[in-house]
Amino acid sequence: MRTLRTLMTAVVASAGLLGLAGTAVADSPSPSTSASADAEAAAPTEAGTSFRTATAVKPDQRATASASTGDYLYWVLPVDAGQRATVEAKVTLPQAARHGAATWQLDVYDGLRRRQSCMYGAQTRKAAPDAGSVELSCTLRTVRAWAEPWANDPLPGSYYVRLTVVDLPKDDLGLPVRAEIDATTADMGGAHAVDGSLAAPLVPGAATATPQAEESSASGAAAALGEPDGGWSSGWWSDRWIWTAVGGVLAALAGIAGYRFTRGSGRPSHLPPGA
């Protein structure tokens, strides 16, 4: 009975530890309305035309741009290890009469400029000649802390979003359009964690930057590279360490309880003394 009470006490303590961790996460302050308004006001209103001139945008920040049909529009955002990014795009088409259907496409590239496949989402869509808008989306695979050289796994760093029209009548080239990009990231937890991490996230200039150049660079240059609000993760910590520790404690208590139950109460009563 004492062993059972000890086991139950340990289980309750472990559950309380997890409850406190969940409460700490739940009690973290949420952004105020004014902060959200400031972030919305600071959202970019233009897009780059190449990888080098891509406009930096933060997750949960809606970026807009006015362009002409046929332009290549580029944005760049940071995605950290353990996160799964979803990019949604909306293109408002011109009201003027168009000569045919147009096919729009949303592509996402990692810091090595490798095109990343989408787990799900409408990455390519055709807009009818009378359509007022077209919406696209792409949900990437969970970003890994590191990968083998031969693998094409998404790695932490900058991710480039490219939006363009890939098929339309030539007479419709140059018509004005308005594009909106909304990127969100979700933390997938320790189930997707791996051991090890990159020496540095894959961001523009990471391979050529020197400490002297970093110290002399302006604050605007650092903002252009993009970085998560809380900084890049170290790559070794995840919530699976908590579950591993709790599992180890429960396994030890189960072993002790099994030993107490199977060893018996001592010398059998039917044997004579000294036997």
Side-chain angles (χ1 to χ4, degrees), residues 12-156:
V12 172
S14 301
L17 177 60
L18 295 179
L20 289 176
T23 304
V25 174
D27 292 344
S28 58
S30 59
S32 62
T33 305
S34 59
S36 300
D38 294 341
E40 190 71 21
T45 57
E46 60 181 11
T49 56
S50 66
F51 285 103
R52 291 183 177 271
T53 60
T55 299
V57 61
K58 296 181 179 180
D60 301 323
Q61 186 180 53
R62 177 166 297 180
T64 59
S66 297
S68 300
T69 304
D71 290 345
Y72 284 85
L73 306 180
Y74 286 83
W75 293 268
V76 59
L77 71 149
V79 185
D80 207 353
Q83 293 182 340
R84 180 175 293 173
T86 299
V87 182
E88 297 178 348
K90 179 180 180 181
V91 182
T92 303
L93 303 173
Q95 299 296 330
R98 301 191 297 274
H99 297 82
T103 302
W104 289 81
Q105 184 167 309
L106 179 69
D107 296 310
V108 183
Y109 299 83
D110 65 4
L112 298 177
R113 298 185 184 180
R114 303 175 301 180
R115 184 176 180 272
Q116 292 294 322
S117 59
C118 302
M119 293 181 57
Y120 48 85
Q123 189 176 4
T124 303
R125 271 189 173 175
K126 179 179 290 187
D130 57 347
S133 63
V134 59
E135 297 182 1
L136 306 100
S137 65
C138 175
T139 298
L140 300 175
R141 294 173 294 167
T142 302
V143 174
R144 291 169 54 89
W146 73 287
E148 297 291 345
W150 48 263
N152 193 37
D153 296 325
L155 297 172

Side-chain angles (χ1 to χ4, degrees), residues 161-218:
V161 179
R162 186 180 72 179
L163 177 64
T164 188
V165 61
V166 294
D167 184 25
L168 83 164
K170 294 183 178 179
D171 295 336
D172 290 343
L173 283 173
L175 292 178
V177 294
R178 178 178 173 83
E180 299 179 7
I181 290 291
D182 190 8
T184 58
T185 56
D187 191 354
M188 303 310 297
H192 295 268
V194 295
D195 295 330
S197 63
L198 295 179
L202 302 177
V203 298
T208 59
T210 61
Q212 293 79 8
E214 291 179 358
E215 292 176 0
S216 60
S217 62

